Amino acid sequence: KTFKVIESQADESVFNYIDTASSRAGIKAIADKLIGPKIGIVGLGGTGSAVTELLTRLGVGTISMFDGDPLDPSNVSRVYGSSASDAGRNKAAIAGDSVQRMKIGTRVNVHPQHINSESIALALRDCDVVFGCTDSARPRGILNSLAHQYLIHLPVCVIFDRTILNQPDLNMSSS
C-alpha cells in the first residue's frame, strides 16, 4: 500500500515534531528549562562551539555569543560549524551562522568583540546564564567579576546536568 506524498513547506524545520525521546530519556524537564532563559557563551573555540551546538539542539530559546578572536586555520578541526574557508573569520560569527543553518528557531545575538568593553558587559548582564569557555586567565577573570557584580549564573565550561539545574538558587523557570 502506498500513501500520498506530503510536500514540505520551505519554512518547516526538521526539528518541528513531537518530542517523545526527551521524556523517555528522563531529560524533558531539563530541556524545558532551557527554552526561557537567555544563554550567553563567552569563547567560541573548541569548547564554546561544542556547548553552542549542544544547547541549540536541546532547544535553547536565545543564545548570545561573545568572542573577539578570528578562527585560526589550525583550529578548524575542533571548532563546530567551521570549515577551512572560515579561517580568519570571527569565531562568534561562525557559531552564529552555524546555529542559523540548523533552522531550529534559536534566537542568536552575535558579539564579535572581546569582553573587556562596557557594551559587552551590558550585553552579558542581559543573560540569565553565561558559559565561560575561554582558554586564558584574563577573560576568565573579567567574566568572573561581571558574573559576581551582576549576579549572573556562571557554569565554567560545564554542560548542563541534573546537579546544576537542581540548584535551589538557579531559577530557570520557563515562565
Side-chain angles (χ1 to χ4, degrees):
K1 188 174 186 179
T2 59
F3 296 92
K4 181 181 174 186
V5 174
I6 299 173
E7 298 293 328
S8 66
Q9 301 296 319
D11 61 343
E12 277 186 7
S13 168
V14 295
F15 293 94
N16 189 11
Y17 60 92
I18 298 171
D19 180 10
T20 59
S22 294
S23 59
R24 288 194 316 265
I27 61 169
K28 180 154 177 36
I30 293 170
D32 287 346
K33 288 183 180 185
L34 296 173
I35 295 170
K38 297 175 191 162
I39 306 295
I41 301 174
V42 176
L44 278 298
T47 302
S49 64
V51 170
T52 300
E53 176 98 3
L54 293 170
L55 290 174
T56 301
R57 292 182 185 280
L58 278 172
V60 168
T62 302
I63 298 179
S64 294
M65 303 169 192
F66 304 86
D67 199 318
D69 292 334
L71 179 66
D72 187 85
S74 65
N75 291 335
V76 169
S77 64
R78 62 185 192 89
V79 174
Y80 284 68
S82 72
S83 66
S85 64
D86 289 320
R89 282 187 65 212
N90 176 271
K91 290 189 278 185
I94 293 168
D97 290 346
S98 178
V99 169
Q100 297 294 4
R101 279 192 306 272
M102 288 185 222
K103 298 185 189 272
I104 294 175
T106 300
R107 289 174 299 284
V108 174
N109 301 310
V110 174
H111 302 274
Q113 302 97 1
H114 294 286
I115 63 169
N116 58 354
S117 72
E118 183 179 352
S119 64
I120 296 302
L122 293 172
L124 280 165
R125 188 175 65 177
D126 289 337
C127 297
D128 300 307
V129 177
V130 175
F131 285 82
C133 301
T134 66
D135 58 2
S136 56
R138 186 164 188 253
R140 284 184 194 157
I142 293 169
L143 190 54
N144 283 330
S145 296
L146 291 171
H148 180 73
Q149 182 175 351
Y150 296 119
L151 302 175
I152 300 169
H153 298 288
L154 181 64
V156 180
C157 297
V158 175
I159 297 175
F160 281 121
D161 65 16
R162 295 179 206 282
T163 306
I164 293 170
L165 289 178
N166 288 332
Q167 296 286 332
D169 64 334
L170 185 56
N171 182 8
M172 293 180 61
S173 63
S174 59
S175 56

